[in-house]
């Protein structure tokens, strides 16, 4: 096994220097997600401006994979039209479920393609998806603006 | 599921896969195993699959991040998918239990737990005024848990009777299943009579009245192609050990939307979402219902059993058993003083043949058969109320499976004659 | 149980009995299996015993009258006697369950079922005002079932805390265990900290106050000689898969007089006395608590595992593990940036060593170790509240067993250093 | 397996022509016992006269073994001092638990020795003991004169 194939430089960079980290006001919806097998958690806020993802802010604790993928998420979706953000979410999810068989599209996923190696390790897929699931959940809540705290 | 094929049924080749069938009993008599209704034997491919798993990938599933844990989790979930497809449902609707009994208890306890489990679980709650409907031909496993549920909650148990010829008595179905009915629990195939029940008829009425249907498929899934989705039942259970799989594993099928609303039963590790000292929340199904380290290698073994059954083809298995039942019913009916308990012909009927012998107690018949190497079951077969309804304390049951031969039917019939001769009653007199 | 002997411990010979230990993982790395706290591996004699049973005597126990049924029942009950003797109790006090989790749930459900189970069961009943005491270091299996019992009955959950150095905090024992306490449930050995708890002290206080003691012996019975009768606990559980036995089988020990009064939990076949449609009565223990076709071959396998452990000697196994723990604690303590979660020395402590690495998340440590062939567990190990109490989200856990070698400890320590190096934090910087 | 070793002539004789069968009045205590694995049952009454077993009467349904052993029981205990009857009970129980290893004492068990072959078949031991357990239970109840009907 090649550790570097999972922990690509891009991932380690995002882990050491996460983008857009910290919880910010104002926001339309918040989601709290937890990985029940390891206890990692993320709280993520979404602010929409019309059809645009105006901001995504987050806080939490977790492994390099979950932290880096949430950092990449913010790069990919902040400032984008919501449909495009959701498309990236779909693409990233599909990549992670592929068990390493899929060929990621760099145009869509940018730094996210670095996670292709993670998809080979099923136990880490949940880590990579933690922030993304929070984003999906938070967007779903923007209509009702509830806050989930399990 | 495979469709009927014209490949001839090679019972000798099948038997070669089952090491135990070549042993002898009682001073050198070849074993004639006619007790598969209690538990079936296991073929070498099933034993090998389980052993291979233990020797190469064994580890705790859904908990570890190392390679063995990955492999074990894959094997476990692959087995779940195989088994789910076998009964026409999706993997997320299959909960592994230790046996069918646990599966029925899980639903019954969910219904009493619902009282304190929050609003989502409300549709499971039962109490005084509510009714649970079973049948008089149920195995204790599909009767006592419902009696106990009634005892815990104040609900009332009602039941279908059985007709003279061993069929479900549907004449009062509209009085039995009403808007008070919360659950209708019934066997797909009786483990004594062999009767295959009209599940669709009962399910239609139950659903019209808003009741859930729990199917005890212990004696159907091993013997013919069964599709729970097509049958339209809400829950169903079966056991691995009756279908060439290991002991210690069974399945609860639950319609996804129901499993999602159903409160947990056994609680502990691997079924949680968040745990604090002050309280916990729970994982989605099926994990919510699989507390603790599960029956890992047994799931793998059951998956291999399903592969084995699929390779032979359920239609061909059913046809073979049908022929065995035909021959057994014919042979036994021809003996004076022998009465079949259950339908006398093979319409809607499996290859489980129970009977009584005038003036010879079932235990004594069984003993004579055992002395000849023939393993049958004697007693009430965990269906005591059915025996009472039939006016008999006990019966002899021969239950056939894919590995039985026509000659074994003849050995059985000759054995019964020998029992009559030995006790000097009835039959030949 | 054997006493300490001077025979040298031949780990190479032991390892030869475990086929899985000679496999490689992750591109040819020899497997270093340090996850026995989750599940242990199984030696060939255990696999052979189970297979031999299935290939020669497999049939439904306690139900049939033919030769196979006799042989199967004998094998099953022989296993029960072997296992009972191993933990110092009598066979009638041993109930087979699918895992330890089921055993704890069985006691917890008995206590809510007691409300509707008649006068005999009265001593099990709990309700508002009654208290259940657990500890903050419990595995979810010994916590969530008690939370749920409280939810069903209105009883209150209270708990012991954990001290800075990973011991049970007994300072408020007299306030915690009072005459309101109905049950005290605690782990014999923590599955994270490795701490062996002062069971006698807690039991004395509990019994003075009339409370029952439920011992979670999952992490003690596999690793050193345990005698439940001597400890004086009322109930105890353990799992086969953590002590070289099959998955899918566990044990609930209950003091005979308690089992006799305890209402049933799972109901169905084989646990009844009389069944009528109107109601049923139940068999004496242990049968009352073993509904349905049981884990037959698994019981036989667990019996063989006990024989294997006895042949090696529990004292010698404990001594070997003690040495491994010593070496691991020493090696890890010596690494800057690594903190042990739990006692730092080996007094009253088993060979389960959890730790955290500054600035490297446990998942990442585990990944690096996995890439080196070292299988550890990462996460909260089903003891989430304990991790919260320690102020950490998760930890890395290496758990040793009789087949681990000293060199594997060194491989682990080197692996942790490699993780620090890879992530470029702490340790070497 | 030799069927005749289990079903000795004595057993078949008692089965076909049971002794002392039928429930009789008066009695001091009654016991109902059932074999849960096969549903066989016996109702058995005991009348004591001082320290003597004045009568044992019974009814029930069951296999040849359970019927014959209850018949033999009545021969062995009716008219005997209670302590002697209890001794026979002990001896018969011990014989049945012996798995066919014990050498029965014909002076104590008389026709009961014919059941030595049954002891080799664990599934039938309960049958052979059914009436004896009812006798034991009924004697135990003579002090309180309760009637057990589970
Ligand atoms: C201390 C402790 N208690 C309970 C359990 C639960 O055991 P099982 O999952 O086999 O039921 C475990 C292991 O997972 C454990 O380590
Ligand atoms: C019809 C039926 N239902 C339920 C059961 C119970 O199955 P298990 O004992 O495997 O739980 C059986 C078999 O014993 C059966 O035949």
């Amino acid at each position: 096994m090649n550790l570097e194939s999972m922990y690509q430089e891009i991932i380690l960079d995002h882990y050491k220097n996460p983008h857009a980290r910290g919880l910010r006001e104002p926001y339309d919806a918040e989601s709290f997600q937890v990985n029940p097998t390891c206890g990692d958690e993320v709280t993520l806020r979404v602010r929409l401006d019309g059809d645009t993802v105006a901001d995504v802010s987050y806080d939490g604790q977790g492994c390099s994979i979950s932290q880096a993928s949430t950092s990449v998420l913010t790069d990919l979706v902040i400032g984008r039209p919501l449909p495009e953000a959701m498309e990236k979410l779909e693409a990233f999810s599909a990549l992670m479920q592929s068990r390493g068989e899929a060929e990621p599209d760099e145009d869509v996923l940018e730094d996210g393609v670095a996670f292709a190696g993670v998809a080979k390790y099923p136990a880490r897929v949940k880590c990579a998806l933690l922030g993304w699931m929070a984003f999906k959940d938070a967007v779903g809540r923007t209509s009702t603006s509830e806050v989930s705290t399990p | 599921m495979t469709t009927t094929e014209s490949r001839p049924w090679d019972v000798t080749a099948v038997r070669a896969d089952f090491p135990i069938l070549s042993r002898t009993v009682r001073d050198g008599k070849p074993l004639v195993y006619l007790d598969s209704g209690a538990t079936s034997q296991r073929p070498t491919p099933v034993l090998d699959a389980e052993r291979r798993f233990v020797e190469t990938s064994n580890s705790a599933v859904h908990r570890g991040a190392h390679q063995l844990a990955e492999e074990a989790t894959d094997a476990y979930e692959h087995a779940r998918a195989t088994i789910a497809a076998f009964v026409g449902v999706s993997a997320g609707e299959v909960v592994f239990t230790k046996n069918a009994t646990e599966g029925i208890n899980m639903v019954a306890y969910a219904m009493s737990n619902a009282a304190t489990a929050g609003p989502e679980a409300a549709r499971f709650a039962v109490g005084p005024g509510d009714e649970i409907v079973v049948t008089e031909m149920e195995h204790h496993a599909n009767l006592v848990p419902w009696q106990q549920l009634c005892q815990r909650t104040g609900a009332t148990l009602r039941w279908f009777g059985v007709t003279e010829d061993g069929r479900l008595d549907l004449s009062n179905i509209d009085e039995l299943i009403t808007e008070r009915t919360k659950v209708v629990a019934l066997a797909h195939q009786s483990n004594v009579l062999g009767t295959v029940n009209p599940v669709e008829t009962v399910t239609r009425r139950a659903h019209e009245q808003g009741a859930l249907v729990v199917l005890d498929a212990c004696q159907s899934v091993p013997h013919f192609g069964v599709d729970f989705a097509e049958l339209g039942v809400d829950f169903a259970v079966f056991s691995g050990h009756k279908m060439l799989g290991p002991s210690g594993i069974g399945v609860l099928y639950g319609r996804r939307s129901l499993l999602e609303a159903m409160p947990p039963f056994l609680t502990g590790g691997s079924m949680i979402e968040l745990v604090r000292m002050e309280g916990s929340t729970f994982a989605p199904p099926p994990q919510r219902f699989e507390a603790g380290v599960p029956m890992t290698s047994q799931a793998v073994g059951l998956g291999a059993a399903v592969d084995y059954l699929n390779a032979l083809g359920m239609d061909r298995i059913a046809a073979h058993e049908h022929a065995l039942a035909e021959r057994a019913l014919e042979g036994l009916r021809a003996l004076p003083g022998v009465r079949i308990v259950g339908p006398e012909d093979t319409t809607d009927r499996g290859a489980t043949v129970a009977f009584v012998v005038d003036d010879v107690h079932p235990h004594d018949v069984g003993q004579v058969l055992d002395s000849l190497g023939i393993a049958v079951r004697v007693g009430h077969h965990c269906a005591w109320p059915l025996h009472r309804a039939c006016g008999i304390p006990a019966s002899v049951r021969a239950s056939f499976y894919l590995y039985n031969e026509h000659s074994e039917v003849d050995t059985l019939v000759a054995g019964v004659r020998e029992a009559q001769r030995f006790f000097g009653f009835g039959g030949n007199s």
Side-chain angles (χ1 to χ4, degrees), chain A, chain B:
Chain A
M1 180 207 173
N2 187 344
L3 260 192
E4 282 77 11
S5 81
M6 169 180 265
Y7 293 111
Q8 303 210 0
E9 272 311 311
I10 299 179
I11 294 180
L12 293 178
D13 284 349
H14 275 275
Y15 177 40
K16 293 177 193 175
N17 303 297
H19 304 177
R21 196 180 165 91
L23 290 171
R24 287 180 291 279
E25 309 265 357
Y27 63 96
D28 297 312
E30 182 177 286
S31 173
F32 172 75
Q33 295 290 320
V34 65
N35 182 342
T37 50
C38 62
D40 285 357
E41 43 186 63
V42 66
T43 303
L44 182 145
R45 293 174 176 177
V46 168
R47 185 162 68 83
L48 297 183
D49 184 0
D51 213 22
T52 301
V53 180
D55 193 21
V56 172
S57 68
Y58 66 97
D59 201 0
Q61 63 192 17
C63 62
S64 58
I65 303 298
S66 69
Q67 298 304 298
S69 89
T70 310
S71 171
V72 167
L73 159 78
T74 62
D75 281 0
L76 287 175
V77 303
I78 294 175
R80 302 291 170 102
L82 187 57
E84 198 187 320
M86 297 314 273
E87 202 184 293
K88 289 179 193 292
L89 167 79
E90 283 312 313
F92 191 76
S93 298
L95 175 62
M96 295 318 298
Q97 310 292 1
S98 74
R99 305 248 15 193
E101 303 296 314
E103 201 46 75
D105 182 344
E106 190 154 0
D107 290 345
V108 177
L109 290 180
E110 304 176 25
D111 279 4
V113 301
F115 290 83
V118 177
K120 289 193 199 114
Y121 301 90
R124 304 306 296 274
V125 168
K126 273 190 191 163
C127 308
L129 288 174
L130 190 67
W132 292 80
M133 290 303 106
F135 175 67
K136 184 178 183 182
D137 184 50
V139 167
R141 289 168 186 278
T142 49
S143 38
T144 53
S145 254
E146 288 173 42
V147 173
S148 117
T149 38
Chain B
M1 233 118 340
T2 52
T3 52
T4 311
E5 293 169 48
S6 48
R7 274 184 293 155
W9 183 259
D10 183 352
V11 73
T12 311
V14 170
R15 290 177 69 84
D17 285 334
F18 293 80
I20 201 171
L21 296 181
S22 57
R23 76 164 274 184
T24 60
V25 290
R26 302 297 182 209
D27 305 333
K29 311 279 189 325
L31 172 66
V32 177
Y33 189 72
L34 304 182
D35 199 15
S36 297
T39 202
S40 66
Q41 298 302 340
R42 302 175 211 164
T44 302
V46 167
L47 298 176
D48 287 349
E50 199 177 345
R51 181 137 185 169
R52 201 179 317 116
F53 171 81
V54 175
E55 291 189 344
T56 59
S57 305
N58 181 55
S59 75
V61 300
H62 285 302
R63 292 190 177 186
H66 49 75
Q67 184 176 341
L68 293 193
E70 269 175 22
E71 290 179 10
T73 305
D74 279 353
Y76 182 69
E77 292 304 331
H78 177 75
R80 194 197 303 276
T82 301
I83 295 160
F86 184 63
V87 290
V89 303
S90 61
E93 299 178 312
V94 161
V95 176
F96 285 124
T97 59
K98 69 174 176 178
N99 53 23
T101 302
E102 185 194 344
I104 297 168
N105 277 274
M106 195 182 303
V107 179
Y109 271 100
M111 302 190 87
S112 50
N113 287 350
T116 53
E120 261 184 36
R123 74 175 293 182
F124 287 93
V126 297
D130 291 332
E131 294 177 355
I132 312 290
V133 174
V134 297
T135 89
E136 214 169 3
M137 67 168 83
E138 293 313 306
H139 187 282
H140 296 163
N142 202 26
L143 167 61
V144 187
W146 304 114
Q147 291 178 335
Q148 293 290 103
L149 171 63
C150 290
Q151 183 166 328
R152 289 196 299 277
T153 60
T156 302
L157 190 75
R158 303 188 65 190
W159 53 89
F160 282 98
V162 175
T163 64
E164 281 284 297
D165 54 338
R167 304 276 176 190
L168 202 60
D169 179 3
L170 292 173
S171 60
N172 58 346
I173 184 170
D174 291 348
E175 289 125 69
L176 268 177
I177 304 180
T178 68
E179 79 281 352
R180 288 186 303 279
T181 312
K182 294 294 163 185
V183 177
V184 180
L186 83 165
H188 197 180
Q189 175 175 317
S190 160
N191 71 315
V192 178
L193 308 167
T195 310
V196 176
N197 285 320
V199 177
E200 293 89 339
T201 309
V202 175
T203 301
R204 200 176 315 115
R205 172 71 190 171
H207 284 173
E208 275 166 24
Q209 301 297 316
L212 297 172
V213 176
V214 178
L215 188 69
D216 175 353
C218 280
Q219 298 288 349
S220 58
V221 165
H223 300 288
F224 54 90
V226 174
D227 186 315
F228 293 141
E230 206 173 282
L231 285 171
V233 298
D234 300 292
F235 291 99
V237 299
F238 54 96
S239 277
H241 67 89
K242 293 190 203 279
M243 53 191 286
L244 314 184
S247 59
I249 186 146
V251 165
L252 169 69
Y253 154 74
R255 190 191 294 287
R256 182 78 199 180
S257 59
L258 287 168
L259 286 185
E260 267 161 8
M262 191 163 94
F265 169 46
L266 299 177
T267 58
S270 297
M271 55 73 69
I272 57 93
E273 182 187 54
L274 260 182
V275 178
R276 298 199 177 89
M277 292 308 288
E278 295 75 14
S280 304
T281 57
F282 305 111
Q287 272 69 37
R288 187 189 304 161
F289 306 105
E290 296 183 358
V293 169
M295 300 65 70
T296 330
S297 69
Q298 291 81 14
V300 171
L302 183 54
V306 166
D307 288 340
Y308 186 90
L309 291 169
N310 275 333
L312 288 176
M314 290 310 290
D315 283 4
R316 296 172 74 229
I317 291 168
H320 175 64
E321 290 188 32
H322 190 87
L324 292 169
E326 195 98 58
R327 194 179 184 102
L329 288 167
E330 226 168 78
L332 290 169
R333 266 199 327 250
L335 296 183
V338 173
R339 280 180 299 138
I340 305 292
V341 182
E344 300 220 342
D345 63 35
T346 52
T347 321
D348 290 337
R349 188 198 202 297
T352 288
V353 181
F355 57 94
V356 289
V357 180
D358 287 346
D359 301 321
V360 191
H361 188 279
H363 245 163
D364 293 319
V365 177
Q367 196 78 44
V368 173
L369 296 178
D370 178 42
S371 77
L372 300 168
I374 308 164
V376 295
R377 186 149 169 214
V378 296
H380 50 60
H381 324 309
C382 301
W384 206 336
L386 172 65
H387 280 80
R388 266 200 214 91
C390 295
I392 49 176
S395 63
V396 182
R397 181 185 74 180
S399 49
F400 299 91
Y401 206 6
L402 49 84
Y403 37 62
N404 289 119
E405 303 183 88
H406 286 250
S407 64
E408 293 180 306
V409 175
D410 304 339
T411 307
L412 168 70
V413 174
V416 174
R417 274 235 296 277
E418 170 61 15
Q420 292 182 313
R421 191 202 58 73
F422 184 82
F423 282 96
F425 297 122
N428 306 339
S429 61

